[in-house]
Amino acid sequence: MNKNHSDNNESLKSNSKLETRNLYLPNEVLIPEIIKFMEEGHTVTLLLRGFSMRPFLEDNRDKALLRKATAPKVGDAVLAEIEPKHYVLHRIDKIVGDKVTLRGDGNLGTEQCRLIDVKGTAIGFYRKGRSKPDRTDGKKWRIYSWLWTGLLPLRRYLLGAYRRVWIPIFGPI
């Protein structure tokens, strides 16, 4: 092998190591761009921020796989604009006409938006660093959703125990 050719290959290998950095943008800047991608037909993976979807989705750990919302229905986890430039990823609790009531799994209260303000639907979640998503149409997610939404009257106590007892001892689910 030609020495110059070998040196060039080594040079290419050392130059091909790219530095990866995370870039954090405010939601009011990032989310409209994500919505544009979804409107073009792309799916988007978004790092979750906040605690409103606890206990199973955690801040800065889990990711949502989203697509454009086409026919949102009760029970769907959706990306919605609840006021100008204020976005949430919550589950649809109720739809009456054009009015949508949202509730995060980790929230006791609700928030409102219009049907047109539901921008994306979660089709899966990457939890705990896994490379394969838990699909929202899968058995695991449907069972979890059925159980958790059915426990609404007890959520205050379950979430309190989760925050005050479970997390300090065992860490997030």
Side-chain angles (χ1 to χ4, degrees), residues 8-135:
N8 287 340
N9 283 342
E10 290 302 314
S11 177
L12 286 174
K13 285 180 187 175
S14 66
N15 288 335
S16 67
K17 294 179 184 177
L18 298 176
E19 180 182 334
T20 302
R21 293 183 294 156
N22 290 328
L23 176 64
Y24 293 96
L25 297 172
N27 281 346
E28 61 269 10
V29 174
L30 179 63
I31 302 296
E33 296 303 315
I34 287 171
I35 291 167
K36 287 179 191 175
F37 282 122
M38 290 188 299
E39 288 174 350
E40 293 171 359
H42 302 283
T43 58
V44 177
T45 301
L46 181 65
L47 180 65
L48 299 177
R49 298 303 321 241
F51 301 100
S52 67
M53 290 297 283
R54 268 187 168 171
F56 292 100
L57 299 174
E58 281 294 326
D59 174 58
N60 211 28
R61 179 192 77 182
D62 300 326
K63 299 173 185 174
L65 180 59
L66 303 167
R67 71 170 181 214
K68 180 181 177 181
T70 54
K73 60 188 182 307
V74 171
D76 286 352
V78 297
L79 177 67
E81 187 174 19
I82 58 172
E83 49 189 65
K85 298 188 180 194
H86 185 166
Y87 300 90
V88 295
L89 181 72
H90 288 339
R91 191 183 300 274
I92 295 179
D93 198 50
K94 182 173 28 172
I95 301 173
V96 177
D98 185 40
K99 185 179 176 186
V100 179
T101 302
L102 305 163
R103 182 189 319 264
D105 285 6
N107 291 352
L108 301 174
T110 60
E111 294 166 304
Q112 315 293 321
C113 71
R114 298 171 302 152
L115 206 48
I116 197 168
D117 297 323
V118 175
K119 304 299 185 181
T121 301
I123 57 174
F125 294 97
Y126 294 94
R127 297 186 60 238
K128 300 181 180 179
R130 295 182 186 129
S131 60
K132 183 179 177 190
D134 291 330
R135 294 190 50 89

Side-chain angles (χ1 to χ4, degrees), residues 161-171:
Y162 177 70
R163 281 190 301 268
R164 291 182 189 94
V165 178
W166 185 275
I167 292 176
I169 296 171
F170 302 107

Side-chain angles (χ1 to χ4, degrees), residues 135-173:
R135 294 190 50 89
T136 56
D137 61 356
K139 187 176 183 179
K140 179 180 176 181
W141 183 260
R142 288 193 324 253
I143 290 170
Y144 155 72
S145 297
W146 179 78
L147 284 171
W148 189 249
T149 56
L151 291 172
L152 181 60
L154 302 175
R155 268 196 215 174
R156 173 183 309 279
Y157 309 105
L158 294 171
L159 289 167
Y162 177 70
R163 281 190 301 268
R164 291 182 189 94
V165 178
W166 185 275
I167 292 176
I169 296 171
F170 302 107
I173 291 178

